[in-house]
Amino acid sequence: MEYDEIKKGLRNLSESLDSLKAELGKQNAILKIIANYPKHNKELQIDFNKYVNKNLVILHDDVNYAMNIAKEIAKISNQNIKYMNYNNYSDNAAILTSLNENDYVFINYNCLDLNCKQLVVNAIKENAISFIVGEGQGVKDMSLKIKSMHYIIYSDMIEMLPKLPDDFEIIQ
């Protein structure tokens, strides 16, 4: 009798496993479709020429989507583009000073700390990089003019961004 119960239990378990396996197969098929679906299909619908030579804010949940838009706009306008994707004040200041007139700088605003955010805001609003030289009583605030460039700022939420000049267009 125990043998029959064990056999019946194993058959039920086998059927459950087969059912689970079939369900997992369906879910994997759906995941494969999602994974192979062009993630940036909206990008193909954007009229990049509309955004050439403009300051932009790109609001999206995927930074790669925003970077692809920025790269395409820079390519169409035949300008260089540099990316500020990490939190290092001196490296980001070097990026801002190395660009030529009308080049593009892509700023991943989500990854910047307060000092780097202030660097960006000063660059946008004053067309300069502000910094402090010295210590104690000999401390001096200095400013270095930078060339005029086009800013493409990425954020996943508009609430994270500072008040920007009115010439920024928003892409969502």
Side-chain angles (χ1 to χ4, degrees):
M1 181 119 167
E2 283 183 32
Y3 177 76
D4 289 338
E5 287 179 24
I6 292 173
K7 191 174 175 182
K8 184 178 177 185
L10 287 174
R11 191 176 324 117
N12 287 341
L13 182 61
S14 178
E15 289 172 2
S16 295
L17 287 173
D18 288 341
S19 176
L20 181 61
K21 187 177 172 183
E23 189 60 35
L24 286 173
K26 287 179 192 174
Q27 288 180 6
N28 282 342
I30 291 169
L31 289 174
K32 282 181 185 176
I33 290 168
I34 291 170
N36 291 327
Y37 188 76
K39 193 171 187 178
H40 308 297
N41 66 327
K42 289 183 182 177
E43 185 175 353
L44 301 174
Q45 301 170 8
I46 291 175
D47 179 6
F48 296 108
N49 288 309
K50 178 180 173 186
Y51 298 111
V52 168
N53 297 326
K54 294 185 180 176
N55 293 318
L56 303 172
V57 171
I58 301 176
L59 298 174
H60 199 271
D61 59 359
D62 183 2
V63 69
N64 292 317
Y65 171 82
M67 289 174 75
N68 287 337
I69 291 173
K71 184 168 43 171
E72 193 63 32
I73 290 170
K75 188 168 102 178
I76 287 171
S77 65
N78 201 26
Q79 298 292 334
N80 291 323
I81 185 166
K82 298 254 178 144
Y83 300 91
M84 290 174 61
N85 271 326
Y86 46 92
N87 200 20
N88 185 310
Y89 187 93
S90 59
D91 287 349
N92 289 333
I95 288 170
L96 292 172
T97 58
S98 69
L99 288 165
N100 296 317
E101 195 84 18
N102 293 321
D103 279 348
Y104 289 85
V105 60
F106 176 88
I107 301 162
N108 182 348
Y109 204 75
N110 291 349
C111 72
L112 302 179
D113 69 7
L114 192 56
N115 288 331
C116 289
K117 287 178 180 179
Q118 190 60 46
L119 170 75
V120 168
V121 170
N122 287 343
I124 292 169
K125 292 184 177 178
E126 299 172 19
N127 214 33
I129 296 174
S130 300
F131 53 96
I132 298 173
V133 176
E135 292 180 8
Q137 290 182 311
V139 71
K140 290 184 182 180
D141 287 329
M142 303 199 66
S143 183
L144 174 66
K145 285 288 186 190
I146 58 174
K147 296 177 181 162
S148 179
M149 62 192 81
H150 303 292
Y151 296 91
I152 300 177
I153 300 175
Y154 164 76
S155 179
D156 54 4
M157 294 186 315
I158 197 159
E159 294 80 17
M160 287 186 65
L161 298 175
K163 173 77 173 111
L164 296 168
D166 292 335
D167 66 339
F168 275 80
E169 288 194 32
I170 296 176
I171 299 177
Q172 290 182 321

